[in-house]
Amino acid sequence: MTVPRDFQEPPRSRPDVVIGREDLFTSAREQLGRGGSVLLHGPAGIGKSTVLRALAADDAGGARTVLRCSATESESHLPFLALADLFGLVLDDISGALPAAQRTALESALTGRGESTLQRDGLALRLAVLSALRALAARGPVLVVADDLQWLDAASAELLGFAARRLGDTPVQMLCAVRTEGQEYDRHLRASPPDTLAVRLGPLSRTQVSALLDHRGYTPLSRSTIRDIHRTSGGNPLFALELGRALAESPTRPRPGEPLPVPTSLRALVLSRLEMLSDEARRTLLVASAGARPTLALLHAAGREHAEAETAQAAALGLLATEGEGPALRFAHPLISAALYAEAPAHERRAVHAALSTAASDPIERARHLALATTGTDPEVAAKLAEAAALARDRGAPSVAASLGLLAARHTPADSAPGPDERRLQAAEDAITAGEADLARDIARDVLTRATVPAERVRAWMVVIEAAGQALGDVDAVFPQVLADAGDDPGLLALVHYQLAWRGLVVEGDFAEARQEAAHAAELAARGQDRRTELMALSFQASTETLMGHPDAPATVERALKEPQDPYVACHHNGAGSARFRWLIMSDQLPEARATITALLREVRRRGMVESEVHFLRFLADTELRSGHCGRALDLARESLRLARDAGIGEGASAMLASLAEASAGDVDRALALAREAADHAEVDGDQMYLSRALAALGYAQLVAGDPAAAVRSLRRVRELELSLGINDPARGRWHGDLAEALVRVGEPGEAQDVIDTARVHALRLGRESVLAVLDRAEALVRAARGEHEAALVRLASVQDRLGRLGYGLEEARAAFALARLRPRAAASPRAGGTPLPGPASYDEAARLFRRCRALPWLRQVDAAAAAGPAAAEPASVAPPVALDALEGLAAMERQVASLVMEGATNREIAARLFISVKTVEATLTRVYRKLGIRSRVDIVRLAAGRRTT
């Protein structure tokens, strides 16, 4: 699908022909042909737009979708106008592929006109633009053509830059042009994809100016006139063409020696065309320029009775596009719309917005128009804006709600109830929900500069603390101030002590202190009749007690779930539903845990709660991983990590879970990198709680990678951290079995038994059946290391059965693998009594179970052990798969692609698994062939088979 962006060209013009730019045009075209992006830059009128159009026409054949926008100075204060140009005609096609909150945010941006700041440009909208480009790219290559970047409204520029920096190998190319003087293009280059080629356009020679004028039909002109045109224009093709146009259309030519008439700007040319409109047609176009999606129906509703005839007059003058799709009216160029709007007197613009405030069908759009039609404070207008904000909140668009809330505050009289600052604080809280921490913090700090009411000050401080995220140590100085502001008010103190509970956990790493502060916050909230804070505090207390293995945890969970409930708390990632999920999953109730977290994920997506969505995706991935659905877990973990990175929220926690999923079902090297990334995040934030989880993930990945010594180092540190944190429940991190197994592999069965015995005491006390089974599996390895092979086999057979009944598919497969590796040794034992025990064939069951889980790294280990035979069936360091030995000289990405080829994956399947383009897969395979000295993917499979049989 191609979205046209039409320009009204002069007669006989052919913009696809580039004059005087052959070399740079070839260079840019080659860059686009390689899949890269291009940034054209140079002074105003130098021909960037012409080259841009020619390149777009040349390259558009290779793109399934072409998105275009072209900004102007007069429109730069109108937020999301470029966004509307880009996505206005494709939104209906892709809206189904967007999460509900993102779809709502994008639709709201495309249907509104408002402030000149980024206050409406929230996290949901950023993610929506990124998701929209990815959805289009999933259907085929996308080319984004953006002219005059320097005039892009700030919101659209931020969104495009945000997406460009995160597209990676997604087949989206950008072809842009920007006005610069000298070399001032670095800022725009930094907001472009990493592979962007910057191309500077300089002035044309006199010969080239002559050819340009001749090509555009401005003939005959004398050589002296052409020389004057070249000199006056300075070789600038736009100025030269406009001078030539003026001379061609003028009945008289300038006398020799007289200066040529030079147009001052493109805007002046546009306004000259507007002057040919009748007054009524101009008023109709002004209404269209103010509307979000102007249609004839909207114009009629706004009082323009003769809209058809007046828009036809505008189209005849080239002001409106004549090839528009759908009912919406489109200006031939956005400059025309902006010029109309900017040139209109303020009272006329207000009158237009007043008409649209009743004509628009969407209540949010009506509220915006009402705000733009009103000057000063007006309680009725403020109330309607507040209602629109509530509607946006209910639609799952908290970012839009924050923007409307700020407008409501602007129109709220100082002596109203609620007052302007109260509405600002509601907007700040909406921004927190949307993940716009910076906006929320700025609003709260602004309120604190003048607020004197303790409730408002404490509420503002809460926003500042919430905006800090996991980095609570950065706002340590806030707590004494907010305690002073809270005074002896139990409701306000409850808010403070709830945050102090988080500080105790995250900054101090003290679970006991965190639990105590949470319990105190719940008591204070109950006294202050603040049910929401009481529920949040009880939920936090329940989660802390669950992680600690505290005996009161079940009772606290029940208290947190008692009615009356608060809908926000019920679905918040730190709320009662989340606390219940933690209890369920740690109590081995996997089906109920899955149902609980799935329902919570659905609700937070509806509400646009981005941070909660990040965490609930991670929780669901964890549930699927424990259930043995490793492929599904990997997909969810990658989705959580991508969303976390796009949003800048919860990156460490999502990287930790993604590491576990990669080590189980994906790429072990990536698992190691992600675990280290998660640990780095925790170290930087001073978050001891997630540091232990990240190190546990690192230890597991190291164990899967065949480096038990490194796993022992990582997991010993986890043991020390959790001991200092006061975490006693072994179901929290489930690292004890991995540490014991790694210790056996490095020849430390005694320490392994100590780990098992210590963890078993707490697992028995808490009834953690799956943990007990995993500990028994580890103990079987200890017994085998001591020569008690038959006892080890009996224990492993029991463990496999127990884990299967509990639904822990991956752990069941690991038990079967350990059983298979021990059977050859037991068969060789004198105490075997001649009982026939299968040899290599005993790996079939482990392979079947790992295949069912789609646990590819483990499956490769089974293949390697089976191919090596009984001699290698030791529970020592796991050797890398023999089939992959030939790939040791390849880079990490090359090894991943080659390994998936060995598994029989197609190029498209490999691209989907690794989140890269098919073109990247093909290029990577070409390098693999060259390095291995082979010619095709079949040779990779043959090479693998040959290595297995040597």
Side-chain angles (χ1 to χ4, degrees):
M1 176 180 182
T2 300
V3 181
R5 189 66 171 107
D6 298 319
F7 293 83
Q8 187 69 23
E9 292 293 332
R12 297 179 299 280
S13 69
R14 292 177 55 198
D16 56 316
V17 177
V18 178
I19 294 176
R21 309 294 190 190
E22 291 78 11
D23 290 343
L24 64 85
F25 183 84
T26 299
S27 176
R29 184 172 56 187
E30 290 174 352
Q31 169 73 358
L32 293 170
R34 291 191 292 267
S37 297
V38 172
L39 176 68
L40 305 172
H41 66 101
I46 203 65
K48 302 179 296 298
S49 296
T50 300
V51 176
L52 183 94
R53 288 194 294 268
L55 285 170
D58 188 79
D59 191 63
R64 187 182 186 279
T65 304
V66 180
L67 307 175
R68 301 175 188 266
C69 69
S70 183
T72 61
E73 181 179 9
S74 61
E75 293 176 332
S76 60
H77 69 291
L78 302 174
F80 308 117
L81 197 59
L83 189 69
D85 282 348
L86 290 171
F87 294 106
L89 295 183
V90 299
L91 183 62
D92 291 342
D93 293 338
I94 61 172
S95 62
L98 303 182
Q102 296 181 20
R103 180 170 63 251
T104 301
L106 189 57
E107 288 174 349
S108 298
L110 297 184
T111 59
R113 178 187 290 273
E115 315 81 56
S116 61
T117 71
L118 278 173
Q119 291 179 353
R120 289 196 62 233
D121 181 12
L123 178 61
L125 185 55
R126 288 182 172 89
L127 298 176
V129 172
L130 188 58
S131 297
L133 289 173
R134 286 172 173 159
L136 290 170
R139 305 178 184 181
V142 175
L143 178 65
V144 177
V145 182
D147 200 4
D148 284 319
L149 286 184
Q150 75 279 359
W151 300 133
L152 243 64
D153 59 273
S156 297
E158 162 64 16
L159 292 169
L160 279 181
F162 180 90
R165 293 188 295 270
R166 289 164 172 80
L167 286 169
D169 291 325
T170 305
V172 176
Q173 295 173 267
M174 296 188 72
L175 173 58
C176 305
V178 61
R179 180 185 301 182
T180 58
E181 297 294 337
Q183 300 295 318
E184 299 171 354
Y185 64 94
D186 291 346
R187 175 169 59 89
H188 300 282
L189 193 60
R190 286 194 296 270
S192 303
D195 59 352
T196 300
L197 172 69
V199 177
R200 177 169 176 78
L201 279 70
L204 299 179
S205 67
R206 187 174 67 180
T207 302
Q208 291 167 340
V209 166
S210 177
L212 177 64
L213 292 168
D214 182 65
H215 175 71
R216 293 297 179 96
Y218 299 137
T219 58
L221 293 172
S222 66
R223 292 174 61 89
S224 61
T225 302
I226 292 175
R227 184 180 62 245
D228 290 339
I229 290 174
H230 178 258
R231 183 181 66 247
T232 304
S233 68
N236 184 297
L238 175 65
F239 293 165
L241 286 171
E242 293 308 317
L243 287 168
R245 185 204 301 269
L247 289 169
E249 294 176 352
S250 175
T252 59
R253 299 291 174 90
R255 297 174 182 176
E258 288 184 347
L260 300 176
V262 180
T264 57
S265 67
L266 182 60
R267 176 175 169 178
L269 293 176
V270 171
L271 291 177
S272 69
R273 275 192 281 173
L274 292 178
E275 291 173 357
M276 291 182 278
L277 284 173
S278 67
D279 291 343
E280 290 302 310
R282 184 163 181 157
R283 290 191 185 95
T284 295
L285 285 195
L286 178 60
V287 176
S289 73
R293 287 185 177 181
T295 63
L296 287 173
L298 179 67
L299 294 177
H300 282 301
R304 306 310 301 169
E305 297 178 0
H306 306 292
E308 287 88 350
E310 290 158 356
T311 55
Q313 180 188 355
L317 291 172
L319 298 170
L320 290 177
T322 57
E323 301 175 5
E325 300 178 19
L329 298 170
R330 290 178 61 81
F331 285 89
H333 190 282
L335 176 64
I336 301 169
S337 172
L340 267 168
Y341 189 83
E343 289 298 308
H347 70 276
E348 287 188 15
R349 292 199 297 266
R350 288 195 297 272
V352 164
H353 285 297
L356 289 172
S357 70
T358 58
S361 59
D362 184 78
I364 292 178
E365 185 181 348
R366 288 200 301 269
R368 284 205 188 92
H369 284 303
L370 184 60
L372 294 171
T374 306
T375 59
T377 59
D378 186 318
E380 292 185 7
V381 171
K384 289 183 179 180
L385 285 164
E387 290 172 5
L391 177 60
R393 199 177 302 120
D394 187 59
R395 286 181 178 180
S399 177
V400 176
S403 174
L404 291 167
L406 290 174
L407 278 174
R410 185 182 305 168
H411 291 289
T412 300
D415 58 351
S416 294
D421 279 342
E422 188 172 348
R423 282 180 166 149
R424 289 187 183 94
L425 289 172
Q426 178 62 65
E429 289 162 357
D430 285 329
I432 285 288
T433 302
E436 301 177 66
D438 290 344
L439 172 60
R441 186 187 303 109
D442 291 344
I443 296 171
R445 295 282 188 187
D446 175 57
V447 170
L448 285 167
T449 61
R450 59 181 171 274
T452 57
V453 178
E456 289 186 352
R457 292 190 61 80
V458 171
R459 192 175 172 188
W461 285 124
M462 291 301 102
V463 170
V464 172
I465 294 170
E466 287 280 356
Q470 294 295 108
L472 285 176
D474 293 346
V475 291
D476 252 355
V478 166
F479 287 100
Q481 300 178 61
V482 69
L483 280 169
D485 284 332
D488 57 0
D489 186 314
L492 299 180
L493 286 170
L495 294 170
V496 183
H497 283 278
Y498 173 71
Q499 295 296 347
L500 285 170
W502 276 105
R503 182 188 177 281
L505 183 63
V506 174
V507 179
E508 301 297 335
D510 191 330
F511 272 68
E513 178 187 343
R515 174 182 175 271
Q516 183 178 354
E517 288 285 3
H520 186 38
E523 294 171 5
L524 289 166
R527 285 165 46 196
Q529 298 183 339
D530 181 354
R531 184 60 175 163
R532 173 173 288 190
T533 302
E534 181 186 7
L535 289 171
M536 289 296 289
L538 285 171
S539 300
F540 181 86
Q541 181 184 347
S543 296
T544 304
E545 289 175 350
T546 299
L547 296 174
M548 294 171 68
H550 196 282
D552 292 347
T556 309
V557 171
E558 289 300 319
R559 288 178 61 200
L561 292 170
K562 280 185 178 179
E563 296 293 340
Q565 281 292 312
D566 181 292
Y568 173 82
V569 176
C571 67
H572 192 275
H573 60 279
N574 291 319
S578 184
R580 181 171 181 269
F581 163 78
R582 289 188 180 94
W583 173 254
L584 289 170
I585 199 168
M586 293 177 72
S587 301
D588 299 326
Q589 300 179 54
L590 296 181
E592 193 170 352
R594 181 187 294 107
T596 298
I597 200 62
T598 300
L600 288 170
L601 179 59
R602 187 184 306 116
E603 180 62 15
V604 298
R605 280 175 165 166
R606 187 189 73 80
R607 289 172 170 267
M609 298 168 66
V610 176
E611 184 174 6
S612 292
E613 182 181 356
V614 168
H615 290 297
F616 287 160
L617 280 168
R618 177 170 60 87
F619 291 171
L620 183 55
D622 191 17
T623 307
E624 299 293 3
L625 193 59
R626 296 181 191 217
S627 302
H629 306 149
C630 299
R632 170 70 171 152
L634 181 59
D635 292 340
L636 288 164
R638 285 174 172 172
E639 184 180 356
S640 173
L641 181 59
R642 184 170 66 186
L643 182 59
R645 285 178 169 165
D646 290 345
I649 293 173
E651 293 182 66
S654 293
M656 176 273 297
L657 202 285
S659 172
L660 292 173
E662 291 285 354
S664 300
D667 178 73
V668 180
D669 288 340
R670 179 167 169 78
L672 292 166
L674 285 169
R676 293 188 177 102
E677 175 188 333
D680 289 343
H681 273 290
E683 293 272 20
V684 169
D685 290 340
D687 188 342
Q688 299 298 298
M689 182 175 64
Y690 269 114
L691 179 59
S692 69
R693 296 294 304 275
L695 291 172
L698 179 59
Y700 172 70
Q702 289 165 333
L703 187 65
V704 177
D707 192 352
V712 166
R713 290 192 296 272
S714 297
L715 295 173
R716 277 175 175 164
R717 190 176 174 198
V718 175
R719 180 175 58 185
E720 295 168 0
L721 281 169
E722 295 206 351
L723 182 64
S724 65
L725 290 169
I727 299 174
N728 296 318
D729 192 339
R732 187 248 180 181
R734 295 178 179 267
W735 50 267
H736 309 76
D738 291 336
L739 175 56
E741 182 175 338
L743 286 165
V744 170
R745 293 189 183 192
V746 298
E748 297 287 350
E751 185 181 347
Q753 189 65 56
D754 291 341
V755 171
I756 294 166
D757 292 342
T758 302
R760 182 177 285 138
V761 170
H762 296 292
L764 284 168
R765 174 175 61 84
L766 297 166
R768 304 304 195 215
E769 292 297 329
S770 63
V771 174
L772 289 168
V774 170
L775 293 174
D776 285 349
R777 184 185 68 204
E779 188 170 44
L781 300 180
V782 173
R783 291 192 175 191
R786 291 171 174 169
E788 303 171 23
H789 299 122
E790 283 193 27
L793 284 174
V794 171
R795 178 66 62 89
L796 284 171
S798 171
V799 164
Q800 181 182 342
D801 180 64
R802 288 156 58 196
L803 288 168
R805 283 187 282 107
L806 288 168
Y808 283 77
L810 182 58
E811 299 293 357
E812 177 191 4
R814 288 180 64 179
F817 187 25
L819 187 63
R821 295 174 67 190
L822 286 181
R823 282 185 185 275
R825 297 174 66 194
S829 170
R831 298 184 63 188
T835 304
L837 293 170
S842 65
Y843 287 104
D844 292 346
E845 173 69 0
R848 181 186 70 81
L849 292 173
F850 280 130
R851 194 174 293 112
R852 183 181 69 182
C853 295
R854 219 185 91 182
L856 300 181
W858 287 105
L859 187 58
R860 294 184 190 118
Q861 291 190 23
V862 173
D863 290 344
E874 296 286 336
S877 178
V878 179
V882 178
L884 300 182
D885 288 349
L887 309 183
E888 290 178 353
L890 302 180
M893 177 62 75
E894 294 165 353
R895 284 201 306 274
Q896 292 180 57
V897 171
S899 299
L900 291 172
V901 169
M902 291 178 184
E903 296 172 15
T906 65
N907 286 3
R908 187 170 296 279
E909 290 169 341
I910 294 170
R913 290 270 293 278
L914 300 180
F915 294 94
I916 58 178
S917 67
V918 174
K919 185 183 296 184
T920 301
V921 174
E922 294 169 350
T924 303
L925 279 174
T926 300
R927 294 194 299 272
V928 170
Y929 300 155
R930 184 175 66 252
K931 290 183 179 181
L932 297 182
I934 57 179
R935 296 184 178 181
S936 70
R937 60 190 295 124
V938 176
D939 291 332
I940 295 180
V941 178
R942 289 173 178 167
L943 177 62
R947 299 291 290 186
R948 285 195 177 99
T949 57
T950 55

